[in-house]
Amino acid sequence: MKIAIGADHAGYRLKDVIVPFLQSQGHEIIDMGCSCADSVDYPDYSVPVCEAVVRGEAERGILICGTGIGMSIAANKVAGIRCALVHDLFSAKATREHNDTNVLAMGERVIGPGVAEEIVRIWLDTPFSQGERHVGRINKVKALESQAAGTR
Ligand code: RB5
């Protein structure tokens, strides 16, 4: 799978663990930075990853900041993105089955690299359930996006 990944200064160390992990699993990675501890702003890294997913340049996106919260908030402002902030294995599976999320956010200050690798593996491997009720709910979320676009 082609995966875009981005992090801020509080997440790049975990990104540097996740990138080789994904490559070892055969995935192709577009690393969109950042790559050092100099302070940056998470929207500047979240949005380019999400736009790569929306444009179809990557199938999925992964975002890492200190908590994952800022990255996920910014990601969910991008039309076409359903981003889940995940720090446990149950949610990693459930958000793929129920929400068909295309972007995953995690916090380097919240979980360790072992849990993060397992979350990423499960999130990438779990298909959307295609369940009728889940499709209906996702369509309601998509309708909110169109509504928001109409008010801009
Ligand atoms: C950076 O200090 C931190 O605020 C950021 O990485 C993130 O956790 C924000 O949600």
Side-chain angles (χ1 to χ4, degrees):
M1 202 182 283
K2 205 166 178 180
I3 300 161
I5 188 165
D8 72 359
H9 57 284
Y12 80 96
R13 293 172 202 81
L14 181 56
K15 175 169 71 62
D16 287 349
V17 170
I18 296 300
V19 167
F21 171 73
L22 289 171
Q23 286 167 333
S24 76
Q25 308 270 305
H27 297 290
E28 192 182 332
I29 306 304
I30 308 169
D31 187 342
M32 306 185 84
C34 75
S35 54
C36 74
D38 295 345
S39 184
V40 295
D41 300 330
Y42 53 78
D44 296 341
Y45 292 85
S46 181
V47 172
V49 165
C50 292
E51 287 177 343
V53 172
V54 170
R55 284 197 299 263
E57 292 159 15
E59 268 177 78
R60 302 272 189 89
I62 296 176
L63 297 168
I64 306 168
C65 63
T67 59
I69 296 170
M71 283 293 197
S72 61
I73 290 172
N76 281 311
K77 300 288 180 197
V78 179
I81 294 302
R82 289 180 302 283
C83 173
L85 170 58
V86 175
H87 289 136
D88 67 277
L89 306 184
F90 176 84
S91 302
K93 186 165 181 277
T95 194
R96 285 291 309 132
E97 288 177 341
H98 291 208
N99 314 118
D100 196 18
T101 41
N102 48 11
V103 173
L104 170 72
M106 297 183 292
E108 181 189 298
R109 293 171 178 165
V110 183
I111 50 170
V115 174
E117 285 181 354
E118 197 58 9
I119 285 171
V120 165
R121 193 187 60 72
I122 290 170
W123 184 73
L124 291 171
D125 287 353
T126 305
F128 177 48
S129 67
Q130 304 288 347
E132 204 180 316
R133 67 187 193 283
H134 299 308
V135 171
R137 289 162 190 162
I138 291 168
N139 284 341
K140 288 190 178 187
V141 173
K142 287 180 180 168
L144 292 175
E145 280 179 354
S146 316
Q147 218 174 298
T151 60
R152 280 201 283 268

